[in-house]
Amino acid sequence: MTVPPAASLLPHGPRARFLAHVRSWSARSLHGVGRLSRDNPYRDGDGCAPVVCIELGAQAAAALETLQRQAGGAAGGAREGYLVTIQDARFSVDTVPVDTDLDVVVRHLGTAGPLARYDAVVSCGGLECATVSMSTFLADPASRTA
Amino acid sequence: MVLLEAFATDEAVRLRLRVDPSSRFFVDHFVDAPVLPAIAQLALCARAARHFVSTWAPIAGVVGVRLRQPIRPGDELDLEVGAPDESGLQRFELRRGATLVTSGGLRLKAGA
């Protein structure tokens, strides 16, 4: 499938965008590449706390949602969404490097109205950094209260 | 984050904070309706949780985190992080006034 630029799939501006590009996607999953800039606010010393993997997973989920919606014929680009639950996140590393490609694979497990559930795995150089189980809420574009 | 008050006992750390509107965490998240990212909240909780360990300890995981309300620039928050239970889990709650905004648990790496 054709993959648009990550910037067109996410509501985040460039300095908050961790998802660099999408390698491939299907109806239920997405494989992307993330990259943390050297000047991101989560940097501490040579790397970032591994909680950044949660955000990368959430951005991959948001990109998949946009692609699914567009493939279904719906109009519009990226919509704001929010993490509402992190059921479980486990970090296998103490820090995540900056300026290094990170692999992210997200699986869509199900949707109920504006809520969707995903699992994500983030790895770096073949080493697993984090696994995340999360739920997101897709904001109604007509409402900015969420 | 601007620390307004801090109080610690053997059971919990309690902080009162004001979310600095100029914080870098808000930049581009999102462009016209800034929201404090969940991971900024978790990083803050982990920092407070380290009060109970003698050395710097990396975060090992989080569990059962519920983000009920968005946190906006200028919000004033009360954070409470509990001491580790027998499994190492530390519960946390972020409140804005009487409203529970975010809650959950985290683990720091044992033996760090």
Side-chain angles (χ1 to χ4, degrees), chain B residues 23-101:
Chain B
S23 168
R24 295 172 64 215
F25 294 126
F26 289 118
V27 175
D28 286 345
H29 192 276
F30 298 105
V31 177
D32 54 357
V35 174
L36 189 70
I39 60 170
Q41 300 176 48
L42 295 176
L44 172 68
C45 293
R47 186 179 300 179
R50 291 189 185 106
H51 169 78
F52 294 101
V53 297
S54 56
T55 57
W56 187 86
I59 187 167
V62 299
V63 64
V65 178
R66 292 194 61 197
L67 301 129
R68 296 168 166 85
Q69 298 273 332
I71 296 174
R72 306 285 188 189
D75 279 357
E76 200 166 299
L77 304 170
D78 290 302
L79 170 64
E80 179 173 315
V81 181
D85 66 14
E86 56 280 0
S87 73
L89 187 69
Q90 294 182 254
R91 299 276 179 194
F92 60 84
E93 289 187 350
L94 263 170
R95 293 179 181 273
R96 182 175 46 233
T99 303
L100 181 59
V101 174

Side-chain angles (χ1 to χ4, degrees), chain A residues 27-91:
Chain A
R28 285 284 170 190
S29 67
L30 179 147
H31 178 196
V33 176
R35 205 167 172 92
L36 306 170
S37 69
R38 191 164 288 277
D39 64 349
N40 87 76
Y42 303 97
R43 184 179 170 206
D44 183 12
D46 292 335
C48 297
V51 292
V52 295
C53 295
I54 297 173
E55 178 69 17
L56 178 55
Q59 291 186 15
L64 177 58
E65 188 280 329
T66 303
L67 289 163
Q68 289 170 328
R69 190 160 28 85
Q70 292 176 342
R79 283 169 58 181
E80 287 178 14
Y82 302 97
L83 261 177
V84 290
T85 308
I86 306 164
Q87 287 89 357
D88 187 57
R90 296 172 193 218
F91 309 123

Side-chain angles (χ1 to χ4, degrees), chain A residues 113-140:
Chain A
L115 296 168
R117 189 161 178 179
Y118 299 90
D119 279 349
V121 178
V122 175
S123 54
C124 180
L127 173 71
E128 185 177 288
C129 300
T131 60
V132 185
S133 298
M134 62 195 156
S135 299
T136 62
F137 175 86
L138 189 63
D140 181 343

